[in-house]
Amino acid sequence: MTDSTSTSTEAVLDRARFGADGLLPAVVQEESSKDVLMLGWMDREALRRTLTEGRVTFWSRSRQEYWRKGDTSGHAQYVRAAALDCDDDTLLVTVQQVGAACHTGAHSCFEVDPLEPVTATAPVQAETDATGKTSATTTAEAIR
C-alpha cells in the first residue's frame, strides 16, 4: 500500500459517518448484473480492510466478530468499486461475486422473500425543447 493510498483511506475513514453503534450500512451490488446482492454492516476496521485488501469484510452483529465474505463458504466478493452516499452514512460496494451472495444459497438476499407492494407510475411532466415545442415525459424520464 502506498502512502497516498494510506492517506486517502484514512481520509475516507474519517469522513464516513458511522451510527451510534459504530456501524455503517454497506449495500453490495454485483458489477456485471447491477443486482443488489445484500446489505451488511461495517465498523471502521471492516471498512478499512474492505478498501485496502480487495475483499469485502463485514462486522457480524450477531457473532460480534469480523467476517470476510467467502472465507468459509467460498462465495467471495471481490471489490471492484466503492462509494459513500451524499451524506457519508451509507456505503455502496460494487463487487465481482463468486457463488451465491446469500447465506441461504440464493444469488441475492433480496430474492428469498419478494413482497407485493402497490406500485405507481411517475406523473407526466411537460417539457419544452430548444425549439419551444412541448412534449410530455414522466418525471423519471426527465431525470435521465
Side-chain angles (χ1 to χ4, degrees):
M1 175 168 59
T2 65
D3 288 341
S4 64
T5 302
S6 177
T7 302
S8 62
T9 299
E10 286 302 314
V12 170
L13 294 172
D14 289 343
R15 197 172 82 229
R17 295 180 54 209
F18 298 91
D21 57 2
L23 300 175
L24 178 78
V27 177
V28 179
Q29 180 183 40
E30 186 172 37
E31 180 183 40
S32 61
S33 67
K34 304 298 184 210
D35 290 345
V36 175
L37 300 175
M38 60 178 290
L39 172 81
W41 296 92
M42 294 183 183
D43 66 1
R44 185 179 176 96
E45 178 61 17
L47 177 56
R48 185 195 65 72
R49 291 180 190 185
T50 298
L51 295 176
T52 61
E53 296 176 0
R55 295 271 308 274
V56 181
T57 299
F58 298 104
W59 174 255
S60 171
R61 296 177 300 167
S62 59
R63 295 188 311 266
Q64 294 291 295
E65 65 184 19
Y66 295 103
W67 60 283
R68 190 167 70 166
K69 190 71 173 165
D71 279 353
T72 57
S73 67
H75 299 175
Q77 295 174 336
Y78 295 90
V79 178
R80 305 300 293 149
L84 287 168
D85 75 342
C86 57
D87 295 321
D88 296 327
D89 63 0
T90 303
L91 180 71
L92 174 64
V93 185
T94 305
V95 302
Q96 178 184 1
Q97 179 69 43
V98 175
C102 186
H103 72 279
T104 66
H107 174 69
S108 163
C109 293
F110 297 100
E111 294 174 359
V112 296
D113 189 17
L115 306 176
E116 295 182 24
V118 172
T119 59
T121 302
V124 174
Q125 173 179 316
E127 187 176 280
T128 306
D129 66 15
T131 66
K133 290 175 94 177
T134 302
S135 64
T137 60
T138 65
T139 303
E141 290 170 338
I143 292 171
R144 284 188 256 162

